[in-house]
Amino acid sequence: MIGASIAGGSGYAGGELLRLLLGHPDVEVRQITSERFAGRFAHRVHPNLRGVTRLRFCALAELSECDVLFLCLPHGESSRRIDEFRSLAGRIVDLGADFRLRDGADYERFYGRPHPRPELLESFVYGIAELNREALARADLVACAGCNATASILGLLPLYRAGVADSAVIEVKVGSSEAGNRASEGSHHPERSGAMRSYRPTGHRHAAEIRTVLGGDVHFSATAVEMVRGVLATCHVFLNRELDEKALWKIYRGAYADEPFVRIVKERSGIHRYPDPNLLAGANHCDVGFERDPLSNRVVVLSAIDNLMKGAAGQAVQALNVMHGLPESRGLEFPGLHPA
Amino acid sequence: MIGASIAGGSGYAGGELLRLLLGHPDVEVRQITSERFAGRFAHRVHPNLRGVTRLRFCALAELSECDVLFLCLPHGESSRRIDEFRSLAGRIVDLGADFRLRDGADYERFYGRPHPRPELLESFVYGIAELNREALARADLVACAGCNATASILGLLPLYRAGVADSAVIEVKVGSSEAGNRASEGSHHPERSGAMRSYRPTGHRHAAEIRTVLGGDVHFSATAVEMVRGVLATCHVFLNRELDEKALWKIYRGAYADEPFVRIVKERSGIHRYPDPNLLAGANHCDVGFERDPLSNRVVVLSAIDNLMKGAAGQAVQALNVMHGLPESRGLEFPGLHPA
Amino acid sequence: MPECPVCGAEPMISDDPVEGELLECEECGVELEILALDPVTLGEAPDAEEDWGE
């Protein structure tokens, strides 16, 4: 059995991770920390887990040794305390942003302060299995990708790997859970309900991540819409050559036919023609679709995930499975609900 | 008093128009037609008007003369019966798509059948007052713009008129009322609720309208989200020169400072920083905002409207006011609700 | 194996296919028609693109 603990388990990602790990046959959940809720039952903060576990939160200081330590801490915490965490666990999976970028300068530009441990950036493997399966299999330190970056990268990867993409304009539509479970002026229900908020029209942190992986000319915007879970990335890709629909199918099938969690969704009829995050709540799928613009060299690529699953906790458990040579779908079989 | 009738009054646009005309001090509503509901009270279909009017629907054949005839008919109907309608009213305001485009060939490409009266296309004035005020003041035949085109054009017009825009990628997020009040598989609540549907990733009819007005390289996509009324156009504009924030403010203030219905919304703090359609339900405003991307020559322009108001009935009443030399805001004073 | 003319996938053909038989491509959902046998060749079956309401 893999002994796993979660540092920073009172947030939405930590709670989703707890749900998945409790249901994973090869994992035993040791501890889950929260400074605010230390001593309280986990289900007080994660009500869906009432009766599923009698675990209580403990303080970070009480963390003891385990096989895998998942970090779901506020920005800057994991890089500040990384040595302490490495002394407690042979393997670390960080769901936060500290070790996602390869270049400290990028981190400073987007997070507004210098990276405390830039020398470690290289040793963390970026947690998208579809991108880094071999490296993940040998990794001890994993940095999960941001949710918006995960959706964008999985949507665009086949075109960029095939060398047919010139530039891309990406707009992600996201839900309110992406901002976490701390209340704020903006999350006050009478103000947030029905709102359509262009909260990041430019310069989003995830843009740096996407550029690190795909390279090239990537423009990024994010809009918050009436949704709790979910990301839909609408990517306008300008091709550098003529490609018809069949050639595009070939590129996407070639990249994803054998992937357990990426489905190609592109139908000519019916009411479910393209990826829709509404169908993926709680599931680890990334649905990808595309449509060729007959009037130009543009292909619109659509990529949908649940930001708390493939965009966070699901990606972390998938990485856990790869790191331990387990079947990649183990503990991640839930297919999502319909209708939802 | 202006005697006004509505041909095709049982849809959402017709109902919104009826609400506005009933509240307009200079207008007397004569008739409102519906083949399906002929003989029934208007409030049976438009429940918000119960107690506001005792008008009943009549059949199209019973239409008698009036000063202004508004057309809210299915595609193809107004062009097929235009001579009959012109014999009934000195002025016609068409809220449908038949006379929006200037070029019959475009119509055929996007609506799949030849235009029955291409020779009339030139005589209809495109109904966006901010674009065509002088022509509207002298017009007898007006074709209101499509809702997505209205939002996109008003967002981009200042940049294109200033000659600083190279190309644009536009994605509109729209509500379910845009598809009208006829139920379908796709509008069934358990399927539509919470859905995020990329129903038109490319080749949308509105793209042709936008190109007709702005010219140049315009790429268009539309996504239906969890919303009933509202359009938010997120336009990624690639500039052909270096412009800082102040220069952009100058362009937008220069174009819209004196406009009664276009507000520039761009704030550095607070929770209402950019245009949000949620605040515009029932109001005739088009809110426009922008954000310069520090990393490239991209400006993200945001434009929000209520598709049934500035995108349809509000635009028609504003055109009515301009055509009759009335104050443009008359009957259009409702400022929208907050919270909503 | 015959290819779907739209997406290039290899749709499952019944054991004893008949000319004119209709089948759906599992990947792109397009309706196909068996135009000829040995070798089995597929073509898109004519179906009006139904408007899905938006």
Side-chain angles (χ1 to χ4, degrees):
Chain A
M1 285 294 263
I2 306 167
S5 292
I6 303 173
S10 64
Y12 289 142
E16 189 75 336
L17 186 56
L18 179 59
R19 174 178 73 81
L20 294 175
L21 294 178
L22 288 170
H24 194 302
D26 302 83
V27 170
E28 183 209 1
V29 181
R30 296 273 176 68
Q31 294 172 294
I32 175 166
T33 83
S34 163
E35 304 316 295
R36 236 167 97 199
F37 296 100
R40 313 300 300 262
F41 284 110
H43 66 252
R44 232 184 85 71
V45 180
H46 307 304
N48 54 327
L49 300 182
R50 180 183 292 275
V52 175
T53 175
R54 300 197 56 70
L55 253 174
R56 290 170 186 265
F57 291 106
C58 67
L60 204 55
E62 298 166 67
L63 258 185
S64 52
E65 290 198 5
C66 60
D67 302 315
V68 184
L69 180 58
F70 292 90
L71 307 179
C72 307
L73 297 165
H75 285 324
E77 280 301 294
S78 47
S79 48
R80 201 164 58 78
R81 312 177 66 147
I82 187 65
D83 295 336
E84 181 193 336
F85 294 141
R86 291 179 76 183
S87 69
L88 290 170
R91 287 185 166 132
I92 292 190
V93 179
D94 186 359
L95 283 77
D98 287 13
F99 294 104
R100 283 180 192 158
L101 300 176
R102 295 280 69 76
D103 164 0
D106 261 345
Y107 183 90
E108 188 165 348
R109 183 139 51 90
F110 281 107
Y111 293 93
R113 51 189 179 282
H115 195 287
R117 305 294 299 276
E119 77 287 359
L120 285 180
L121 284 172
E122 281 311 320
S123 41
F124 274 79
V125 174
Y126 198 50
I128 301 181
E130 291 79 7
L131 189 66
N132 277 340
R133 199 161 267 123
E134 294 72 29
L136 268 179
R138 302 187 309 276
D140 291 330
L141 301 172
V142 172
C144 290
C147 41
N148 296 333
T150 299
S152 306
I153 288 168
L154 286 175
L156 296 175
L157 195 61
L159 296 180
Y160 276 74
R161 276 195 171 150
V164 296
D166 228 8
S167 66
V169 178
I170 303 168
E171 190 205 325
V172 290
K173 284 149 290 287
V174 305
S176 50
S177 65
E178 214 179 82
N181 63 358
R182 286 299 172 90
S184 67
E185 289 288 317
S187 76
H188 181 49
H189 186 273
E191 300 291 350
R192 179 61 176 79
S193 170
M196 187 171 287
R197 221 176 255 165
S198 308
Y199 74 101
R200 190 73 72 198
T202 62
H204 199 282
R205 298 169 184 174
H206 295 279
E209 257 183 86
I210 301 166
R211 274 191 214 102
T212 311
V213 173
L214 299 179
D217 208 4
V218 171
H219 304 275
F220 185 92
S221 298
T223 311
V225 297
E226 181 60 34
M227 184 167 61
V228 173
R229 284 177 182 235
V231 176
L232 177 67
T234 305
C235 316
H236 309 269
V237 185
F238 294 91
L239 300 174
N240 56 28
R241 73 197 64 184
E242 192 58 41
L243 285 177
D244 63 14
E245 195 170 303
K246 215 167 166 186
L248 289 165
W249 268 103
K250 201 154 175 291
I251 288 176
Y252 275 91
R253 197 180 296 116
Y256 291 142
D258 308 327
E259 285 296 342
F261 290 111
V262 182
R263 300 183 298 197
I264 300 171
V265 179
K266 176 170 160 36
E267 299 267 351
R268 283 236 186 127
S269 61
I271 60 170
H272 306 294
R273 302 188 189 193
Y274 296 107
D276 181 349
N278 190 40
L279 301 172
L280 298 178
N284 196 48
H285 285 108
C286 172
D287 285 354
V288 172
F290 58 88
E291 194 58 50
R292 185 79 186 67
D293 186 342
L295 307 175
S296 71
N297 63 341
R298 176 176 68 130
V299 178
V300 181
V301 177
L302 304 144
S303 176
I305 60 170
D306 173 346
N307 51 296
L308 295 179
M309 282 298 293
K310 189 62 170 167
Q315 176 175 144
V317 172
Q318 187 177 350
L320 173 88
N321 287 337
V322 173
M323 291 160 81
H324 292 81
L326 296 170
E328 237 170 279
S329 311
R330 186 159 294 176
L332 295 169
E333 295 85 358
F334 177 70
L337 300 176
H338 175 264
Chain B
M1 285 295 260
I2 305 167
S5 292
I6 304 173
S10 64
Y12 290 142
E16 189 74 337
L17 186 56
L18 179 59
R19 173 177 73 82
L20 294 174
L21 294 178
L22 288 170
H24 195 301
D26 303 83
V27 170
E28 184 210 357
V29 180
R30 295 270 178 67
Q31 295 170 293
I32 176 165
T33 83
S34 164
E35 305 315 295
R36 231 166 97 196
F37 296 101
R40 313 301 299 263
F41 284 109
H43 66 252
R44 232 185 85 70
V45 179
H46 307 304
N48 54 328
L49 301 182
R50 181 183 290 274
V52 175
T53 175
R54 299 199 53 73
L55 252 176
R56 289 169 185 266
F57 290 106
C58 69
L60 204 56
E62 299 166 67
L63 258 185
S64 52
E65 290 201 6
C66 59
D67 302 317
V68 184
L69 179 59
F70 292 90
L71 307 179
C72 307
L73 296 165
H75 286 323
E77 280 302 293
S78 48
S79 49
R80 202 163 59 76
R81 311 175 67 145
I82 187 65
D83 294 335
E84 180 193 335
F85 294 140
R86 291 178 75 181
S87 68
L88 289 170
R91 287 186 167 136
I92 293 194
V93 180
D94 187 359
L95 281 79
D98 287 13
F99 295 104
R100 284 180 191 159
L101 300 176
R102 294 277 73 74
D103 165 357
D106 261 346
Y107 181 91
E108 188 164 352
R109 183 140 49 91
F110 280 107
Y111 293 92
R113 51 185 180 283
H115 194 286
R117 305 293 300 275
E119 77 287 1
L120 285 179
L121 284 173
E122 280 309 318
S123 42
F124 273 78
V125 174
Y126 198 50
I128 300 181
E130 291 78 7
L131 189 66
N132 277 340
R133 199 160 268 125
E134 292 72 29
L136 267 179
R138 304 188 306 276
D140 290 332
L141 301 172
V142 172
C144 291
C147 40
N148 295 334
T150 300
S152 306
I153 288 167
L154 286 174
L156 296 175
L157 195 60
L159 296 180
Y160 276 75
R161 277 197 171 148
V164 297
D166 228 3
S167 66
V169 177
I170 302 168
E171 188 204 326
V172 291
K173 280 137 310 272
V174 305
S176 51
S177 65
E178 218 181 77
N181 61 2
R182 286 298 172 91
S184 69
E185 289 289 317
S187 76
H188 181 50
H189 187 272
E191 301 291 350
R192 179 64 178 77
S193 170
M196 187 172 290
R197 215 176 263 168
S198 309
Y199 74 101
R200 191 71 74 194
T202 63
H204 199 282
R205 297 169 185 172
H206 295 278
E209 257 182 85
I210 300 166
R211 273 190 216 102
T212 312
V213 173
L214 299 178
D217 205 3
V218 170
H219 304 275
F220 185 91
S221 297
T223 313
V225 297
E226 180 59 36
M227 185 167 61
V228 173
R229 283 179 184 233
V231 176
L232 176 67
T234 306
C235 318
H236 309 270
V237 184
F238 294 91
L239 300 174
N240 56 27
R241 72 197 65 183
E242 193 58 42
L243 285 177
D244 61 14
E245 199 170 292
K246 223 168 160 200
L248 288 165
W249 269 105
K250 197 159 174 288
I251 288 176
Y252 273 92
R253 206 177 287 120
Y256 290 142
D258 309 329
E259 285 296 344
F261 289 113
V262 182
R263 302 183 297 196
I264 300 173
V265 179
K266 177 170 164 28
E267 299 272 354
R268 286 253 176 106
S269 61
I271 60 170
H272 307 293
R273 303 186 188 189
Y274 295 107
D276 181 350
N278 190 39
L279 302 172
L280 298 177
N284 196 48
H285 285 107
C286 173
D287 285 354
V288 173
F290 57 88
E291 193 59 47
R292 187 77 187 69
D293 186 341
L295 306 176
S296 71
N297 64 340
R298 176 178 68 132
V299 178
V300 180
V301 176
L302 303 146
S303 177
I305 61 168
D306 172 346
N307 50 297
L308 294 179
M309 282 299 293
K310 188 60 170 168
Q315 177 175 143
V317 172
Q318 188 178 348
L320 173 88
N321 287 337
V322 173
M323 290 159 83
H324 292 82
L326 296 170
E328 241 171 275
S329 309
R330 187 158 295 174
L332 295 169
E333 295 83 359
F334 178 69
L337 299 176
H338 175 263
Chain C
M1 281 291 278
E3 257 189 23
C4 164
V6 170
C7 73
E10 289 164 2
M12 270 147 347
I13 310 287
S14 58
D15 301 341
D16 39 36
V18 173
E19 228 174 273
E21 183 183 339
L22 294 179
L23 59 140
E24 186 182 336
C25 170
E26 186 208 331
E27 299 225 359
C28 73
V30 87
E31 208 181 5
L32 298 173
E33 188 184 350
I34 296 184
L35 301 178
L37 298 175
D38 43 59
V40 173
T41 48
L42 300 172
E44 242 184 287
D47 70 330
E49 198 205 313
E50 109 241 356
D51 186 354
W52 56 331
E54 294 291 354

